[in-house]
């Protein structure tokens, strides 16, 4: 009976005993240094990294943006295989409007006077023939230039190829000028108009800042040091800041990115929100694996002769496509993230005594003494008296 009563009391003590922290002052400079240094590291992380660097006390929102561009410039070309020509923005800016991008023509292969007729295909291993049996009528090679008629015709005095129904004469795009036709395009300029909004904060702004007027726009040009807020850029400088040479890139074209960073701090004591421009080449320019380099596409200009025959000029356009990429995040003081991060900071600080205790009970010479003093089981006075009385009666 007494054993069961003792077991029950032991179980109740185990379940309902209350533990409370005990203040134990350790007169040790080493333990005190570990404690204060750990506190310093926690405060440095919370204040320096979380608050200052990450600004975790802020609510954030992502930018919504729209971009329009306007290119200006003129050029004149006078080469041997093409009649002298004056080029304006309508000729080299194709198409005139783009969705966050614009294209500037720098080199071209023209095939004028094409009509829908029959002609010998360009020679390659799959089109060279000896007689009509080598040419299947109606065959359509996606890599060719037309639909085969079934005839084998003379392409030159020494080569015969399969005849095709196509726009003739066929384009020969290997005759690309080694120097860009529109080398003067490096002096063209582009006006970039960019409007952004942060809907969560009802904040709106554009890259044409409030102090900019029409007089200023007529004479300014972007310069990172002297005029970083001007929204007018010279194409040569864009390509140069991207680490490329305009004349080399203009021969076969390429893709360049104009990156506008709208990372903003909207707190009332900071209120900084200005665009930051960077430039980089986006298409692959590998010195070894240089298959299908550059950027080009084809388009045609159609017209009819006096006899009513449809004729076109096929143009293979090489040039630089400029993609305007806008990104950014805005932050503003918010009570919810502030409370959340304050709670996280307090929880980190509550771990500091655990680090100091671990150091004290593991690395100190008097760790056994500290261990005995750190935890004490309280015995109430009534229990002590009853225990002593039992001992006295037992001795009598």
């Amino acid at each position: 009976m007494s054993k069961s009563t003792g077991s029950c009391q032991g179980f109740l003590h185990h379940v309902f005993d209350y533990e409370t922290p005990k203040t134990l002052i350790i007169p040790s400079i080493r333990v005190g240094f570990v404690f204060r240094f750990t506190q310093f590291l926690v405060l440095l992380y919370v204040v320096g990294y979380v608050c200052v660097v990450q600004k975790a006390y802020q609510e954030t929102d992502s930018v919504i943006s729209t971009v329009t561009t306007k290119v200006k410039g003129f050029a004149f070309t006078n080469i041997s295989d093409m009649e002298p020509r004056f080029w304006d923005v309508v000729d080299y800016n194709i198409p005139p409007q783009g969705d966050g991008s614009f294209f500037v023509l720098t080199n071209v292969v023209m095939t004028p006077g094409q009509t829908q007729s029959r002609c010998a295909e360009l020679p390659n291993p799959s089109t060279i023939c000896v007689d009509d049996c080598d040419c299947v009528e109606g065959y359509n090679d996606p890599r060719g230039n037309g639909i085969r008629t079934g005839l084998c015709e003379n392409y030159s005095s020494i080569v015969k190829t399969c005849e095709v129904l196509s726009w003739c004469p066929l384009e020969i795009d290997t005759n690309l000028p080694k120097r860009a036709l529109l080398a003067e395009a490096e002096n063209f300029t582009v006006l970039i108009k960019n409007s952004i909004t942060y809907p969560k904060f009802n904040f709106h702004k554009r890259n044409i800042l409030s102090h900019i007027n029409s007089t200023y726009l007529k004479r300014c040009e972007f310069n990172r040091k002297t005029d970083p807020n001007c929204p007018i850029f010279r194409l040569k400088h864009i390509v140069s800041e991207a680490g490329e040479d305009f004349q080399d890139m203009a021969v076969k074209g390429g893709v360049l990115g104009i990156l506008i960073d709208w990372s903003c701090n909207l707190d009332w004591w900071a209120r900084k929100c200005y665009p930051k421009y960077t430039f980089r080449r986006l298409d692959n320019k590998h010195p070894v694996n240089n298959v299908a380099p550059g950027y080009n596409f084809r388009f045609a200009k159609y017209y009819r002769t006096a006899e009513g025959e449809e004729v076109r000029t096929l143009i293979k356009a090489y040039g630089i496509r400029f993609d305007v990429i806008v990104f950014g995040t805005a932050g503003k003081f918010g009570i919810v993230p502030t409370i959340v991060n304050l709670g996280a900071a307090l929880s980190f600080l509550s771990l500091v005594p655990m680090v100091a205790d671990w150091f004290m009970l593991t690395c100190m010479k008097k760790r056994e003494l500290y261990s005995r003093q750190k935890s004490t089981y309280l015995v109430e006075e009534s229990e002590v008296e009853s225990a002593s009385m039992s001992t006295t009666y037992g001795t009598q």
Side-chain angles (χ1 to χ4, degrees):
M1 188 71 177
S2 60
K3 289 184 177 180
S4 61
T5 303
S7 299
C8 182
Q9 289 180 349
F11 173 75
L12 292 175
H13 278 299
H14 180 73
V15 174
F16 294 105
D17 280 355
Y18 171 68
E19 297 179 358
T20 183
K22 177 183 178 181
T23 301
L24 181 64
I25 300 176
I26 307 296
S28 172
I29 295 178
R30 294 176 63 190
V31 177
F33 174 79
V34 170
F35 178 71
R36 297 304 181 189
F37 183 71
T38 308
Q39 277 185 328
F40 172 75
L41 291 180
V42 171
L43 290 175
L44 183 65
Y45 168 76
V46 172
V47 177
Y49 181 75
V50 176
C51 294
V52 177
V53 178
Q54 294 294 319
K55 293 181 174 60
Y57 59 87
Q58 292 183 331
E59 293 180 324
T60 58
D61 193 16
S62 297
V63 69
I64 297 176
S65 167
T66 181
V67 175
T68 58
T69 60
K70 184 183 292 184
V71 181
K72 287 187 177 181
F74 306 99
F76 180 79
T77 57
N78 187 10
I79 57 177
S80 58
D81 56 346
M82 184 183 298
E83 62 183 27
R85 179 167 179 168
F86 172 80
W87 301 74
D88 63 10
V89 65
V90 178
D91 296 313
Y92 60 74
N93 190 205
I94 310 164
Q97 295 293 330
D99 185 14
S101 65
F102 61 95
F103 174 82
V104 175
L105 180 72
T106 57
N107 214 355
V108 66
V109 174
M110 286 189 178
T111 309
Q114 285 189 324
T115 60
Q116 291 201 13
S117 55
R118 301 181 179 210
C119 51
E121 178 65 281
L122 299 179
N124 63 61
S126 65
T127 61
I128 294 175
C129 59
V130 176
D131 53 39
D132 295 346
C133 297
D134 296 328
C135 303
V136 180
E137 184 179 0
Y139 177 70
N140 179 12
D141 184 1
R143 295 174 179 169
N145 292 285
I147 301 174
R148 294 185 182 180
T149 63
L151 301 178
C152 183
E153 298 291 338
N154 290 323
Y155 178 81
S156 65
S157 59
I158 57 174
V159 178
K160 298 180 72 175
T161 60
C162 294
E163 184 185 68
V164 292
L165 175 64
S166 182
W167 286 93
C168 300
L170 300 178
E171 176 194 63
I172 303 176
D173 60 358
T174 55
N175 298 329
L176 180 67
K178 300 302 180 184
R179 185 178 184 273
L181 178 67
L182 285 172
E184 296 178 42
E186 67 179 11
N187 292 315
F188 296 169
T189 60
V190 57
L191 167 64
I192 299 177
K193 295 185 287 185
N194 176 214
S195 299
I196 63 103
T197 181
Y198 287 106
K200 181 185 287 188
F201 308 126
N202 194 28
F203 180 84
H204 309 272
K205 200 164 187 178
R206 61 179 189 157
N207 67 328
I208 301 178
L209 304 179
S210 57
H211 69 276
I212 295 178
N213 54 35
S214 57
T215 304
Y216 173 79
L217 281 181
K218 290 179 180 179
R219 59 178 176 79
C220 81
E221 182 179 313
F222 176 83
N223 184 290
R224 194 169 299 281
K225 294 181 180 179
T226 61
D227 207 349
N229 296 322
C230 180
I232 298 177
F233 304 82
R234 192 170 296 274
L235 302 189
K236 177 182 179 180
H237 296 159
I238 294 177
V239 177
S240 177
E241 285 213 23
E244 302 290 335
D245 180 81
F246 188 94
Q247 296 302 327
D248 291 342
M249 193 173 183
V251 176
K252 292 187 176 181
V255 182
L256 273 176
I258 302 174
L259 284 68
I260 308 179
D261 181 8
W262 283 93
S263 296
C264 300
N265 183 2
L266 301 182
D267 289 329
W268 64 268
W269 60 83
R271 206 66 177 178
K272 293 181 180 179
C273 194
Y274 302 104
K276 301 178 186 65
Y277 302 96
T278 54
F279 313 96
R280 67 178 58 184
R281 185 166 185 169
L282 301 180
D283 62 323
N284 183 29
K285 184 189 174 184
H286 197 281
V288 178
N289 185 15
N290 201 25
V291 180
Y295 181 79
N296 64 79
F297 60 91
R298 291 177 175 86
F299 67 97
K301 295 183 178 180
Y302 297 85
Y303 55 95
R304 289 187 180 274
T305 63
E307 293 77 20
E309 183 182 20
E310 185 180 28
V311 183
R312 78 176 189 182
T313 297
L314 178 63
I315 301 171
K316 185 174 183 180
Y318 294 82
I320 304 175
R321 193 185 79 192
F322 296 86
D323 292 344
V324 184
I325 303 171
V326 182
F327 62 97
T329 303
K332 191 175 184 180
F333 175 81
I335 189 63
V336 173
T338 300
I339 293 175
V340 170
N341 284 281
L342 182 60
L346 293 176
S347 65
F348 279 127
L349 286 174
S350 67
L351 298 176
V352 174
M354 297 179 61
V355 176
D357 286 351
W358 174 84
F359 178 80
M360 177 183 67
L361 300 175
T362 306
C363 303
M364 298 294 291
K365 293 181 179 180
K366 299 180 180 180
R367 54 182 174 271
E368 294 183 359
L369 173 62
Y370 297 151
S371 179
R372 288 197 304 269
Q373 296 297 324
K374 190 175 187 307
S375 300
T376 304
Y377 188 83
L378 179 63
V379 180
E380 295 183 359
E381 293 181 1
S382 58
E383 294 181 359
V384 174
E385 292 177 359
S386 61
S388 61
M389 290 177 62
S390 300
T391 304
T392 303
Y393 291 141
T395 55
Q396 293 177 352

